[in-house]
Amino acid sequence: MYDNIERELKLLINEKVYNELLHSYDFHNPITQTNTYFDTENQDVKKQRGAVRIRTIQDKKIFTLKIRKDEYTHYEFEKEISTENINEIEDPEILNWFNQYQIPKNLHPTASFTTLRNVYAFENGELCLDKTTFKNHIDYEIEYEYTSDHDGIQFFNSILDQYGLKWQKNCPSKIARAMND
């Protein structure tokens, strides 16, 4: 992420390709993260093409607000917090983000899932290999997240070519997949 911009390309893959990729790169220290998403009863956050999440990694809790900028890009605001209860957040910076993006305060959990994430760093981005366990299924995803401006699509495709794959927008967000689970 650079300057509160998240730019990523994702592709759903099958378990066989996931395992091939897992053994093709020198991934270190996989991370298990539980993601809980929040919205109002009327899906006011979703209607703004946004998402509110608390991610838990071991004892660390990270609040995230994402607002979609375009098809591949989000504004992303993150801050470590001390609670998993969205209604207990009193941090002035986070409350300012809520005000700035008209996020209501009456949020409740809408989806939760766990991802085993492997990350491999390249010069201009990170390759993320995810195995996500939803309520009723498991899926596999490869993601390329930009850390600086460059032709990420060409670079991502150069990785995918080795596995007979080509990037195409086939991958709804994890929150969308969780809501359809």
Side-chain angles (χ1 to χ4, degrees):
M1 183 176 64
Y2 49 104
D3 297 330
N4 291 338
I5 298 288
E6 177 191 59
R7 191 147 199 241
E8 60 190 12
L9 306 168
K10 300 177 176 198
L11 185 68
L12 284 174
I13 56 177
N14 62 38
E15 185 177 10
K16 179 180 181 284
V17 172
Y18 170 87
N19 285 320
E20 288 175 16
L21 282 157
L22 188 61
H23 295 97
S24 296
Y25 289 90
D26 192 13
F27 291 108
H28 292 288
N29 306 319
I31 300 165
T32 299
Q33 54 192 30
T34 299
N35 299 289
T36 302
Y37 284 81
F38 300 86
D39 207 337
T40 65
E41 291 293 331
N42 297 327
Q43 297 186 320
D44 293 317
V45 177
K46 180 180 179 184
K47 288 175 186 171
Q48 293 185 68
R49 299 167 58 131
V52 172
R53 167 183 80 206
I54 295 177
R55 172 174 285 163
T56 304
I57 303 170
Q58 295 177 341
D59 293 332
K60 187 176 180 179
K61 295 160 198 63
I62 303 165
F63 169 87
T64 304
L65 169 63
K66 290 186 182 188
I67 301 292
R68 188 170 177 182
K69 180 180 178 196
D70 61 41
E71 188 176 5
Y72 314 113
T73 312
H74 291 86
Y75 295 109
E76 181 174 280
F77 305 92
E78 287 190 331
K79 188 163 192 183
E80 191 169 340
I81 57 175
S82 60
T83 181
E84 291 179 354
N85 184 335
I86 195 81
N87 299 310
E88 292 178 358
I89 296 176
E90 296 179 357
D91 182 281
E93 187 173 23
I94 293 173
L95 296 177
N96 183 50
W97 296 335
F98 275 31
N99 288 333
Q100 182 178 353
Y101 291 99
Q102 295 86 43
I103 304 297
K105 302 223 178 2
N106 57 334
L107 300 175
H108 63 86
T110 57
S112 186
F113 50 85
T114 301
T115 298
L116 176 64
R117 171 163 279 192
N118 287 277
V119 178
Y120 183 83
F122 288 98
E123 181 180 352
N124 293 309
E126 294 180 334
L127 186 67
C128 302
L129 198 56
D130 292 347
K131 177 181 180 180
T132 301
T133 303
F134 296 95
K135 184 170 53 172
N136 294 312
H137 79 283
I138 295 173
D139 72 22
Y140 305 89
E141 172 184 85
I142 185 171
E143 174 182 309
Y144 182 70
E145 187 166 332
Y146 294 60
T147 54
S148 63
D149 285 321
H150 67 289
D151 188 348
I153 293 173
Q154 181 181 344
F155 184 80
F156 191 39
N157 275 326
S158 73
I159 294 168
L160 295 174
D161 283 345
Q162 302 168 54
Y163 303 92
L165 300 171
K166 184 171 176 67
W167 180 78
Q168 59 184 338
K169 187 156 176 53
N170 80 337
C171 191
S173 67
K174 286 183 181 78
I175 180 62
R177 297 189 325 256
M179 297 301 286
N180 291 327
D181 190 39

